[in-house]
Amino acid sequence: MIAQIDPFHAIAISREAHALEAQGRSILHMEFGQPSTGAPAAAIAVAHQVLDTEPMGYWESVALKDRIARHYAERHGVAVDPEQVILTCGASPGLVLALTSLFAPGARVATARPGYVAYRNNLKALYLEPVEIACGPAQRYQISADALAALAPAPDGLILASPANPTGTIIPADELARIAALCAERGIRIISDEIYHGLSFGEPAHSMLEFAPDAVIVNSFSKYYSMAGWRLGWIVVPPALIDVARARMGNLFLTPPVLAQRAGLTAFDCTGELEGHVESYRRNRALLLDALPALGLARIAPPDGAFYIYADISHLTNDSLGFCQTLLRETGVATAPGIDFDPVDGHRFIRFSFAVSTDRVKDAIARMIPWFQARSGR
């Protein structure tokens, strides 16, 4: 039997947005969580040199694995052997590697709802059972140790994200420690999606490795490093899973692109340029938070990190997909419908990505304020 996978509705929104753009419409793309900036300048310079001088091929950068391992020591105070680092073609293959390395078909894996659409659909595609935990405003839209303790029987695994997509919420260190202890007690294997690390607007996010050394970490160059199109990421696995994960990476995906690996090693140390992007996101976040009252959006998830605002629009609609389509067609602002992230309650939410330029955020606000006010008036 072939697994039934739900569509990714934001892709359909983006497809229509690009079609309108091709017709000459002015479109503001806030539907995807991808930086509008390119890779750091020094990384691009290295890529040009590699194109001119190297034949490339199937290759895994030992230097990049070493640099990633050093990152965990410097940033999080944890020791990671470079051999525990498996380079991947982005976080999406990394999630597949993590899931297939840890679980057999039929295993039950808990996730937050709302949560990233691919968690649920990857689990279904791999014949694993999603166990979605409803996380509303009372839980700051995040999984808690108490919610995990209430599950009976205990799930085989847990996927958590901090900062999270679509909400941007961060799990505090003390709660991560409680989750780690509970998972150890109940035999729950942890996959921690840390793709938005580096994108925090208050306290920095903690790695789950600080609390659960046997957790599998998924990360990528797509968000903080502004290299989404380069398709480069990594996972960190405990020593017992190194051979298992390497076998899956080699057979399913071979190696990440050599060009991306060379550029990624340089990007790791372009801190000044990358922190400049974070400051832009901080400004964009402030602009949107200031504008939300004029849009009539009072109920939002607290965006501690990443570059998203997840807003309740139940006073305006019960159809978030249709709402996003109408918003796009009438204002040129593309957003993501909540049903991607929550099949139960997502019909009354939308997600804004503020990973675009500040000028575009200002333009989007100017277009949306009268549109939202008119709908509220009706």
Side-chain angles (χ1 to χ4, degrees), residues 44-171:
I44 292 174
V46 166
H48 281 294
Q49 182 182 9
V50 170
L51 283 171
D52 291 338
T53 60
E54 293 190 25
M56 297 182 279
Y58 303 130
W59 175 76
E60 185 181 49
S61 171
V62 173
L64 181 55
K65 288 158 64 78
D66 288 344
R67 182 65 187 86
I68 292 170
R70 180 157 61 90
H71 163 78
Y72 285 97
E74 294 172 347
R75 181 69 61 86
H76 299 290
V78 295
V80 171
D81 187 315
E83 285 304 299
Q84 293 177 247
V85 179
I86 313 295
L87 300 178
T88 67
C89 309
S92 297
L95 179 62
V96 171
L97 291 183
L99 291 170
T100 57
S101 297
L102 286 172
F103 307 115
R108 301 168 64 250
V109 181
T111 64
R113 179 173 61 77
Y116 180 44
V117 59
Y119 300 155
R120 181 174 68 253
N121 284 329
N122 270 273
L123 290 169
K124 291 164 66 175
L126 296 170
Y127 296 96
L128 303 170
E129 181 183 344
V131 180
E132 294 190 312
I133 301 174
C135 302
Q139 298 82 30
R140 299 184 73 256
Y141 297 92
Q142 272 288 10
I143 281 178
S144 66
D146 290 343
L148 283 172
L151 293 179
D156 300 290
L158 165 68
I159 302 173
L160 57 81
S162 174
N165 178 11
T167 60
T169 54
I170 288 177
I171 303 174

Side-chain angles (χ1 to χ4, degrees), residues 7-331:
F8 195 159
H9 295 94
I11 293 177
I13 293 288
S14 188
R15 187 181 301 119
E16 181 173 358
H18 283 285
L20 292 172
E21 211 165 17
Q23 297 170 16
R25 289 281 305 277
S26 170
I27 302 298
L28 302 174
H29 290 278
M30 303 177 77
E31 73 273 31
F32 283 157
Q34 59 182 15
S36 59
T37 51
I44 292 174
V46 166
H48 281 294
Q49 182 182 9
V50 170
L51 283 171
D52 291 338
T53 60
E54 293 190 25
M56 297 182 279
Y58 303 130
W59 175 76
E60 185 181 49
S61 171
V62 173
L64 181 55
K65 288 158 64 78
D66 288 344
R67 182 65 187 86
I68 292 170
R70 180 157 61 90
H71 163 78
Y72 285 97
E74 294 172 347
R75 181 69 61 86
H76 299 290
V78 295
V80 171
D81 187 315
E83 285 304 299
Q84 293 177 247
V85 179
I86 313 295
L87 300 178
T88 67
C89 309
S92 297
L95 179 62
V96 171
L97 291 183
L99 291 170
T100 57
S101 297
L102 286 172
F103 307 115
R108 301 168 64 250
V109 181
T111 64
R113 179 173 61 77
Y116 180 44
V117 59
Y119 300 155
R120 181 174 68 253
N121 284 329
N122 270 273
L123 290 169
K124 291 164 66 175
L126 296 170
Y127 296 96
L128 303 170
E129 181 183 344
V131 180
E132 294 190 312
I133 301 174
C135 302
Q139 298 82 30
R140 299 184 73 256
Y141 297 92
Q142 272 288 10
I143 281 178
S144 66
D146 290 343
L148 283 172
L151 293 179
D156 300 290
L158 165 68
I159 302 173
L160 57 81
S162 174
N165 178 11
T167 60
T169 54
I170 288 177
I171 303 174
D174 59 347
E175 189 63 23
L176 285 175
R178 291 183 66 223
I179 291 171
L182 181 74
C183 287
E185 177 186 330
R186 304 192 77 191
I188 303 170
R189 300 303 301 267
I190 300 171
I191 297 174
S192 180
D193 182 354
E194 300 181 358
I195 192 172
Y196 295 103
H197 275 212
L199 303 176
S200 303
F201 307 111
E203 289 296 314
H206 290 265
S207 175
M208 200 61 184
L209 288 178
E210 298 172 39
F211 312 99
D214 63 344
V216 175
I217 308 300
V218 178
N219 210 325
S220 169
F221 284 81
S222 293
K223 310 301 183 181
Y224 176 75
Y225 299 97
S226 197
M227 296 177 65
W230 296 73
R231 308 317 304 136
L232 179 63
W234 72 88
I235 64 173
V236 180
V237 299
L241 284 182
I242 292 173
D243 290 342
V244 172
R246 288 184 64 84
R248 281 157 175 74
M249 179 63 199
N251 281 283
L252 295 175
F253 307 108
L254 292 175
T255 65
V258 169
L259 189 67
Q261 293 184 67
R262 294 285 197 196
L265 180 60
T266 298
F268 232 104
D269 295 306
C270 294
T271 307
E273 186 174 346
L274 297 172
E275 287 299 312
H277 298 334
V278 177
E279 289 309 305
S280 294
Y281 303 147
R282 191 187 304 277
R283 289 193 298 271
N284 294 351
R285 171 180 176 270
L287 285 168
L288 279 169
L289 291 178
D290 286 345
L292 289 176
L295 272 62
L297 303 181
R299 298 182 299 276
I300 65 166
D304 305 318
F307 30 55
Y308 303 120
I309 290 179
Y310 194 60
D312 187 334
I313 55 169
S314 58
H315 60 297
L316 298 173
T317 186
N318 199 39
D319 175 13
S320 60
L321 177 58
F323 188 90
C324 289
Q325 290 169 331
T326 304
L327 175 64
L328 169 63
R329 293 163 189 166
E330 296 186 1
T331 70

